[in-house]
Amino acid sequence: MLLIEDSEDDALLLVHRFRSSGYTLDVLRVDTPDQTEAALRSRNWDVVISDHDLPGFSAISALGIIKQLELDVPFIIVSGVIREETAITAMRAGAHDYLSKNQLERLIPAVEREVREAENRRQSRQALAAQHEADARFQAVAASTPGVIFQMTRHASGQLSFAYASDATDMLLGVSAQQLCEDGAHFSRMLLPDDHQALDDALASSASTGGRLNWEGRIQTGAGDTKWINVRGSVRRGPMHEAIWEGVMWNITHSKQTEAELRASQDHLKALSNHLQHAKEEERERIARDVHDVLGGHLVALKFSASLMASRLDAPAEQRLAQVTSIEALIDEAIDTVSRVTRELRPGILKDFGLAAAIESHAEDFSKRTGIHCHVLCADDDIELPEAESIALFRIFQESLTNVSKHAKAEHVEIRLVHTGDGVSLEVGDDGIGLADTDLAKPHSFGLRGVRERVTSLGGCVDFSRRMPKGTRLQVVLPLSDMSTASSDQELSS
């Protein structure tokens, strides 16, 4: 207790009154403005009791100091002589009560009452400050959240209204938060017709079961953009038993697009896998046909020739020589067939002499078979690649020539295989009818899709483009692996 009193006897009288009521006091007596201000600054006081008039000081002046320091402390004036005008002036100045020293029976109840009131005011200020801090934190979180934080009510008519929406409303829905709160039906109007019923069903289910709301659907903004949104929230009942949801709306357009692209990619991979399986069966059928029709025919002819020769051992030497020559021709054709089939399955030249030699050999065979002239430029014949990269580039080259023969209607093909410094570039160009942009997006363009898959698996890049003045250009660039780079560095150092 801070006691502003110049009379020590009066101060002892007040202290005795409190102690006789069972209070243990921590009392400081002051009687000047400086002492009063210093005491008020030094600590928090439960109550200030002041005489009205002191030499050179007064209760009104003490109230001025308290007001200047912005303190909320019970201030009770206890004075010998009280006039009504004086009491009114003191109360207007901020005093909480005004008592006479001759009627101290009201002192203890007055102090207890004002201390309680001061504690209530202090708790109210703390609660208000905590509320302001919570509001500030919420606004900061809402401002930094990309989704729309909302409070939504569904009325008995089924109409939606929004009591609150964060500033992200403008970015997601294309309307301001104020507009959404003023016209909650605007959100319903933004829903696509196919998704409107699904939201109604989700809201009805959440309201009836008390479960969380989790709905995905599409909206169309005023700018004509279609967006996928995800609405999540917890439901509670309002004072009129209406369903109220607090939650967040998220823009999930990108994830939906990614999901659709992933599904499309999976479908493409399935189709490609089926195509590859079908291609394998076709290749096996073609090889079986070559072995049966060509190689088998040659072997049958050899058997007939050998039987004929055995039955005519006494024939003239000229006839036997002609039969031997015929047999040799059949054997050469059989060897050529075996060699061609072997090269198409797995060219040995690729392993023995490298990628450049294999490309030149296959281009020569292609020209003989189709009549399309191939010009091969391998600026670096000593290109060395790991087996996986070599086989991939060779298969891509085979596929590109197959596409030329099937679709391009070309007369000339140019092939370039060069070292780019940090990789290897294979370029195949023709003078055919060209490749349209729509051809790349065809669902059954398995050859082009297979090329992309091969190149992507090896960390390379592929480019399909038009060739001037006409034709198509395919360029594949594969990065050199650490193994091949180290080998090249070793050769340079040697």
Side-chain angles (χ1 to χ4, degrees), residues 97-331:
D97 208 341
Y98 202 125
L99 304 177
S100 172
K101 290 182 179 180
N102 299 324
Q103 297 177 347
L104 291 181
E105 62 275 2
R106 289 185 52 236
L107 177 62
I108 302 301
V111 169
E112 291 175 343
R113 181 191 69 243
E114 295 304 328
V115 169
R116 285 195 304 270
E117 291 295 328
E119 178 63 19
N120 292 336
R121 291 193 300 272
R122 184 187 66 81
Q123 292 179 358
S124 297
R125 286 194 302 271
Q126 289 181 342
L128 186 60
Q131 182 63 42
H132 288 164
E133 183 179 357
D135 291 343
R137 282 200 302 266
F138 175 78
Q139 293 298 334
V141 171
S144 60
T145 300
V148 176
I149 299 176
F150 66 88
Q151 184 186 81
M152 177 177 67
T153 302
R154 185 171 186 258
H155 301 280
S157 62
Q159 184 175 351
L160 301 178
S161 64
F162 291 83
Y164 173 81
S166 62
D167 293 338
T169 307
D170 194 8
M171 180 175 61
L172 179 60
L173 305 181
V175 297
S176 68
Q178 181 178 355
Q179 288 175 310
L180 184 63
C181 292
E182 291 175 352
D183 181 16
H186 184 80
F187 177 75
S188 299
R189 294 193 296 271
M190 296 176 68
L191 296 172
L192 295 189
D194 294 342
D195 296 335
H196 202 294
Q197 186 61 44
L199 177 59
D200 287 343
D201 294 342
L203 291 172
S205 175
S206 175
S208 61
T209 63
R212 290 182 59 83
L213 173 66
N214 186 5
W215 173 81
E216 293 181 355
R218 294 161 298 172
I219 61 170
Q220 189 170 46
T221 65
D225 299 329
T226 300
K227 296 180 180 180
W228 277 93
I229 63 171
N230 174 230
V231 182
R232 292 172 177 261
S234 300
V235 65
R236 62 180 176 86
R237 290 294 175 178
M240 303 300 294
H241 203 62
E242 71 276 18
I244 300 175
W245 287 268
E246 282 103 2
V248 185
M249 297 182 194
W250 300 99
N251 186 351
I252 59 172
T253 305
H254 180 70
S255 62
K256 282 293 183 179
Q257 291 174 345
T258 303
E259 182 181 338
E261 292 172 358
L262 180 59
R263 283 199 300 268
S265 177
Q266 291 173 342
D267 293 339
H268 290 165
L269 287 177
K270 290 178 181 178
L272 179 59
S273 176
N274 293 333
H275 170 74
L276 292 177
Q277 187 64 33
H278 182 67
K280 286 181 182 180
E281 295 300 328
E282 288 184 342
E283 184 71 7
R284 290 169 181 169
E285 181 181 354
R286 186 186 63 80
I287 293 172
R289 186 168 56 249
D290 285 345
V291 171
H292 179 271
D293 295 348
V294 181
L295 188 57
H298 290 159
L299 292 176
V300 170
L302 281 173
K303 182 178 180 181
F304 285 156
S305 297
S307 298
L308 182 61
M309 189 175 179
S311 64
R312 297 180 180 180
L313 293 177
D314 55 349
E318 293 80 3
Q319 292 183 4
R320 293 197 303 272
L321 181 60
Q323 289 177 345
V324 169
T325 302
S326 175
I327 291 174
E328 287 178 345
L330 290 173
I331 292 174

Side-chain angles (χ1 to χ4, degrees), residues 66-85:
I66 291 176
K67 185 176 181 180
Q68 181 182 358
L69 297 178
E70 298 181 350
L71 300 177
D72 181 11
V73 57
F75 191 95
I76 298 175
I77 299 176
V78 179
S79 182
V81 179
I82 301 177
R83 291 182 303 173
E84 184 176 354
E85 297 81 0

